[in-house]
């Protein structure tokens, strides 16, 4: 599996298809994360931005390999494992963005509540923001896994489905992504900071299920 992950990572780096989602993330951070803004508000923006960016990265990784090369790697290692490696590389890239984004938020965000009514512990705020970003990265991975090959092979279906699903997951009432972003924004008003352990567990379970479904379909249809 390590060799497959290295192979998929090399494919991603050489393709330069990671550049558009990276630019989207950078542009969104430049708009929503600025010096002097409350750190928890900045963390909520950074986490929310990461969900569609991660879904895009998953699409890039699962469609990156040429058909002939995909057939060869699937024959050698099994289509399910190859697909899992592609999704794993996308998630790994998203987690790197989560760490980088959290570092930027900690560096430029104001460690106070909205209106500067009370101080906010910077360490706790950074940890909560990173946890929220991980939740959004996990759910973005789930969206990308379910809205692209092998379940949806046509670009005409996969791209709009990925965009629509990403925003539904981000704004749906029962979504862990909405819960963590709302928690950060609420904490920016009240000064209460907490790690969203329940949302982390729910996002992990949902993502594991989505990836398992995608890999099972890959084994049947590739």
């Amino acid at each position: 599996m390590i060799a497959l992950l290295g192979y998929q990572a090399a494919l991603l780096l050489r393709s330069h298809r990671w550049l558009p989602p990276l630019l989207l993330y950078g542009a969104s951070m430049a708009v929503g994360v600025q010096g002097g803004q409350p750190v928890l508000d900045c963390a909520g923006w950074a986490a929310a931005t990461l969900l569609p960016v991660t879904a895009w990265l998953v699409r890039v990784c699962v469609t990156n390999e040429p058909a002939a090369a995909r057939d060869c790697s699937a024959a050698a290692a099994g289509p399910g494992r190859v697909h899992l490696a592609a999704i794993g590389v996308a998630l790994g890239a998203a987690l790197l963005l989560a760490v980088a984004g959290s570092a930027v938020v900690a560096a430029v965000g104001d460690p106070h509540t909205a209106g500067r009514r009370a101080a906010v512990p910077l360490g706790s705020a950074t940890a909560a923001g990173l946890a929220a970003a991980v939740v959004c990265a996990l759910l973005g991975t789930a969206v990308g896994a379910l809205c692209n090959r092998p379940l949806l092979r046509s670009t005409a279906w996969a791209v709009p489905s990925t965009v629509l699903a990403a925003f539904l997951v981000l704004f749906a009432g029962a979504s862990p992504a909405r819960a963590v972003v709302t928690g950060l924004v609420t904490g920016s008003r009240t000064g209460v900071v907490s790690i969203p352990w329940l949302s982390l567990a729910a996002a992990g379970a949902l993502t594991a299920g989505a990836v398992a479904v995608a890999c099972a379909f890959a084994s049947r249809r590739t």
Side-chain angles (χ1 to χ4, degrees):
M1 197 64 193
I2 294 177
L4 284 174
L5 289 170
Y7 168 65
Q8 293 291 341
L11 279 176
L12 176 63
L13 290 173
R14 288 200 301 264
S15 73
H16 298 291
R17 292 178 66 196
W18 48 267
L19 189 56
L22 178 63
L23 290 175
L24 172 62
Y25 185 68
S28 180
M29 290 286 286
V31 170
V33 179
Q34 299 179 4
Q37 293 181 333
V39 65
L40 290 175
D41 285 341
C42 292
W45 179 274
T49 297
L50 195 57
L51 197 154
V53 169
T54 304
W56 192 351
L57 284 169
V58 172
R59 171 163 178 78
V60 167
C61 287
V62 301
T63 61
N64 209 22
E65 197 173 11
R70 184 169 63 243
D71 290 341
C72 291
S73 56
R81 296 182 69 202
V82 172
H83 197 71
L84 178 61
I87 295 174
V89 166
L91 176 57
L95 293 178
L96 287 177
L97 290 179
V99 172
S102 297
V104 171
V105 168
V108 306
D110 180 19
H112 290 83
T113 58
R116 297 183 61 85
R117 290 187 296 271
V120 172
L122 184 58
S124 299
T126 302
L130 179 58
V134 171
V135 168
C136 289
L138 287 169
L139 292 175
T141 300
V143 168
L146 294 177
C147 294
N148 291 285
R149 63 169 305 273
L151 284 86
L152 296 178
R153 292 176 176 261
S154 170
T155 301
W157 285 102
V159 171
S161 296
T162 300
V163 173
L164 179 60
F167 284 97
L168 284 176
V169 169
L170 188 56
F171 294 110
S175 169
R178 178 176 177 176
V180 295
V181 173
T182 300
L184 290 171
V185 174
T186 301
S188 183
R189 295 198 301 267
T190 63
V192 177
V193 182
S194 59
I195 306 297
W197 297 112
L198 184 59
S199 294
L200 271 171
L206 290 170
T207 303
V211 172
V213 169
C215 291
F217 269 80
S219 297
R220 292 182 180 182
R221 298 180 61 179
T222 301

